[in-house]
Amino acid sequence: VVDSSVLGRPEHGHVGIWNQGATCYLNSITQALCSDIEFRNALFALDAEDGSVTKELQRLCAQLNNSDQLAVSTKGLTTAFGWKNGQAHEQHDAHEMFSLLIDSLSGENAKSLFEAKVKDCLVCPTCTNAQSNASSCYTISVDIPDQTNTVADTEPKDDAVLDNNGHTFSKLTELLQSYYEPEELDVDNKWNCEKCDAKVQATKSQVMETFPNKLMIQLKRFRFDPVRAKYVFDHTFCYI
């Protein structure tokens, strides 16, 4: 066990976060959030009770910016989540953790930086009757095209797009375009059109009505491999 109090702040000026066991996903999210000046200012402006997630995140951000130690701890934050000791040794999804953190904040100003207004639309191909539902979200999740052979995930397909280093890659702008492209529902997922009084293969689309100040994008890197009957990780590089 290393006593962080005897280790000073690094010369480069950046303070780290100690890993409680398997909390690297939490560390990366809190470091990214606390490095954002606009979010940090909105966070510090919130009223928060002692022991709350908001208060502990405020404390952590202050420590990351002002501590004279090599690294600081997230134990106060995980305690505010209600975690027991063993839960810090369990791996969790970074995307879910980000949503949990933002949802747990006590005020709307910090949340609104990431909030987008999205409208889902269904259109009947026969009568063009449409139905739409609006909702809010803090992130959007985009699919990465499968460019690797099923037998060996590291071997690209013959038509894969490669960068100068031979890695498969996708452009983020193209992934976002694909995300908003309309798609036809399959035969097992037909929509009941009230005007036609029948189930139809409607066209589904999504429109972002209000863009957030900060757009958070989740790259869906896990996909199901039907040959091996398991989920595999996609190592495709994504460029802006």
Side-chain angles (χ1 to χ4, degrees):
V1 178
V2 179
D3 183 2
S4 64
S5 64
V6 302
L7 300 175
R9 190 182 184 99
E11 292 183 2
H12 52 61
H14 299 293
V15 174
I17 299 178
W18 295 110
N19 195 330
Q20 292 191 50
T23 55
C24 51
Y25 60 94
L26 174 61
N27 295 358
S28 61
I29 292 170
T30 51
Q31 282 179 320
L33 287 174
C34 293
S35 297
D36 186 288
I37 296 176
E38 190 174 9
F39 172 78
R40 198 165 64 228
N41 290 340
L43 177 67
F44 288 150
L46 299 177
D47 291 327
E49 297 180 358
D50 287 339
S52 66
V53 171
T54 301
K55 176 63 73 175
E56 292 304 326
L57 187 57
Q58 288 175 336
R59 181 176 288 111
L60 181 61
C61 282
Q63 291 174 335
L64 285 172
N65 282 275
N66 303 313
S67 176
D68 58 358
Q69 298 179 8
L70 176 68
V72 295
S73 174
T74 56
K75 286 186 178 180
L77 186 58
T78 54
T79 298
F81 288 150
W83 288 9
K84 306 302 180 183
N85 290 335
Q87 288 179 272
H89 294 270
E90 298 175 5
Q91 189 64 252
H92 293 276
D93 182 72
H95 175 241
E96 293 179 356
M97 175 52 63
F98 171 78
S99 298
L100 173 64
L101 262 179
I102 300 301
D103 274 330
S104 300
L105 297 180
S106 59
E108 296 301 320
N109 289 342
K111 294 180 181 181
S112 64
L113 293 174
F114 307 99
E115 187 175 16
K117 301 292 184 181
V118 179
K119 182 170 69 174
D120 293 307
C121 303
L122 289 170
V123 179
C124 176
T126 304
C127 67
T128 68
N129 177 39
Q131 175 184 299
S132 62
N133 294 300
S135 60
S136 298
C137 63
Y138 298 126
T139 63
I140 61 172
S141 301
V142 298
D143 292 307
I144 298 177
D146 181 9
Q147 299 190 82
T148 55
N149 289 314
T150 303
V151 177
D153 295 322
T154 56
E155 295 181 5
K157 292 181 178 177
D158 293 337
D159 59 349
V161 181
L162 305 179
D163 62 14
N164 293 333
N165 296 316
H167 299 131
T168 57
F169 81 95
S170 295
K171 290 184 178 180
L172 184 57
T173 51
E174 294 176 354
L175 298 184
L176 290 172
Q177 288 174 353
S178 298
Y179 177 79
Y180 288 109
E181 285 181 358
E183 61 175 323
E184 186 179 70
L185 299 181
D186 57 45
V187 294
D188 296 324
N189 194 27
K190 290 184 177 181
W191 171 59
N192 185 40
C193 176
E194 294 182 355
K195 191 172 182 179
C196 294
D197 193 25
K199 288 189 174 184
V200 298
Q201 284 184 255
T203 299
K204 180 182 179 181
S205 63
Q206 193 171 69
V207 177
M208 187 171 289
E209 294 189 311
T210 304
F211 283 85
N213 184 286
K214 303 177 187 299
L215 179 61
M216 303 297 288
I217 302 172
Q218 178 203 17
L219 301 176
K220 297 169 69 175
R221 292 191 174 277
F222 285 95
R223 66 177 186 279
F224 186 75
D225 182 349
V227 174
R228 289 178 290 179
K230 70 174 185 178
Y231 284 92
V232 295
F233 184 82
D234 194 312
H235 295 84
T236 296
F237 285 72
C238 290
Y239 300 107
I240 297 177

